[in-house]
Amino acid sequence: MTHISHDHSGPAVVLLSGGLDSMVTAALARERGFEVHALTIDYGQRHVRELQSARAIAEKLGIERHVELPLDLRQFGGSALTADIDVPKGGVGEDIPVTYVPARNLVFLALTTAFAETSHSRDIFIGVNALDYSGYPDCRPEFIASFAETARLGTKQGVGGDPFTIHAPLQHMSKADIAQECDRLGLDPAWSWSCYDPTPEGLACGACDSCRLRRKGFDEAGLVDTTVYSKDAPALPEKKFDPTDFRRPSPDPSRGRGAGQSPGI
């Protein structure tokens, strides 16, 4: 994979959920030379661990401005993340899952655009990726392109001839690709949080769709996910030995990229 460094001046606004994808996206925005402003939406999700991770990521990356906006979507319900609905643990399916939050990225991108306009920014970063195509309709490239046009038509900045650019740098990456970017950027995976249903002890369950995709991605990339998972997490499928696979081994823990140290970005 080729990585091109771009030098930019001025701010970019990143939608920072606290998950792995948003952490990597924020680090990529910073690598490209942007002054990073981050928006985290406290939408009433059933656990606060993701919000805590967003705060930690903002601090670790040295994000210039981090806004945490309350928006209680529990009043709408309709999702296992905002209502009293069990989070499925049986494996990733083909249909839109019950963890889909109705119109979440549509609502969140609208708020991020408002934040960008008041921040004098024309660059918006969001960490949607290809694995979400079949599950979440608001992660598809068609949606991102359509929203960019809507933002151009519906904002003072857009109609004034300075439209927003919606950056989705992970759009066509697999979870293994994203895990590799996380490693390349010098990020500790444990800074982020992906689990939909943490255990009472505060560990990642390892069985929800998000945990399964994340664990599989790091495993396929040959990298260590430093997240602590429940001892009851299902075992990963055993990989068949491929003699043509010459990927570098998992990182040596002695390299000292612990959660208390700054990333090398």
Side-chain angles (χ1 to χ4, degrees):
M1 187 180 300
T2 301
H3 303 282
I4 302 173
S5 179
H6 302 278
D7 292 325
H8 295 276
S9 59
V13 170
V14 179
L15 184 58
L16 182 66
S17 69
L20 175 69
D21 297 350
S22 72
M23 176 175 73
V24 171
T25 298
L28 286 170
R30 182 178 172 117
E31 182 183 56
R32 294 180 186 183
F34 286 104
E35 172 190 311
V36 178
H37 295 192
L39 177 64
T40 298
I41 311 293
D42 178 359
Y43 62 92
Q45 52 268 62
R46 287 167 59 173
H47 59 84
V48 298
R49 184 64 177 80
E50 194 177 53
L51 297 173
Q52 294 168 344
S53 291
R55 296 168 194 147
I57 291 165
E59 180 180 353
K60 300 291 185 184
L61 296 185
I63 287 175
E64 283 76 4
R65 184 184 181 197
H66 182 211
V67 172
E68 191 172 309
L69 185 69
L71 178 71
D72 191 357
L73 296 182
R74 289 175 298 182
Q75 297 188 59
F76 293 169
S79 168
L81 302 188
T82 57
D84 190 17
I85 301 171
D86 290 338
V87 173
K89 301 287 184 72
V92 181
E94 296 295 326
D95 298 327
I96 296 176
V98 72
T99 50
Y100 163 73
V101 178
R104 178 170 59 180
N105 282 342
L106 179 61
V107 173
F108 287 7
L109 269 176
L111 293 169
T112 307
T113 302
F115 183 34
E117 190 164 33
T118 59
S119 299
H120 307 291
S121 169
R122 63 178 304 276
D123 293 279
I124 296 169
F125 282 75
I126 183 171
V128 293
N129 74 82
L131 275 182
D132 289 332
Y133 283 3
S134 61
Y136 300 108
D138 54 359
C139 290
R140 297 173 301 152
E142 302 95 306
F143 165 71
I144 298 299
S146 175
F147 182 86
E149 176 63 5
T150 297
R152 184 184 71 81
L153 294 172
T155 60
K156 177 181 178 181
Q157 186 167 313
V159 298
D162 192 20
F164 299 96
T165 299
I166 311 295
H167 301 266
L170 312 186
Q171 183 76 80
H172 301 292
M173 293 187 187
S174 68
K175 283 294 184 186
D177 294 332
I178 295 168
Q180 289 172 337
E181 281 293 84
C182 180
D183 180 67
R184 182 186 70 81
L185 291 161
L187 308 171
D188 185 340
W191 294 344
S192 66
W193 185 262
S194 300
C195 180
Y196 290 149
D197 192 26
T199 69
E201 298 78 26
L203 304 178
C205 74
C208 67
D209 288 1
S210 187
C211 279
R212 287 177 185 269
L213 290 169
R214 176 177 174 138
R215 294 174 67 208
K216 182 172 179 285
F218 276 93
D219 186 57
E220 290 179 348
L223 296 168
V224 172
D225 182 358
T226 50
T227 298
V228 180
Y229 290 93
S230 167
K231 60 180 177 57
D232 298 322
L236 289 166
E238 186 174 346
K239 290 193 298 185
K240 295 180 180 179
F241 174 69
D242 181 357
T244 65
D245 187 354
F246 295 106
R247 287 175 299 188
R248 56 201 172 103
S250 300
D252 182 352
S254 66
R255 278 167 39 179
R257 284 211 328 255
Q261 299 189 7
S262 298
I265 61 171

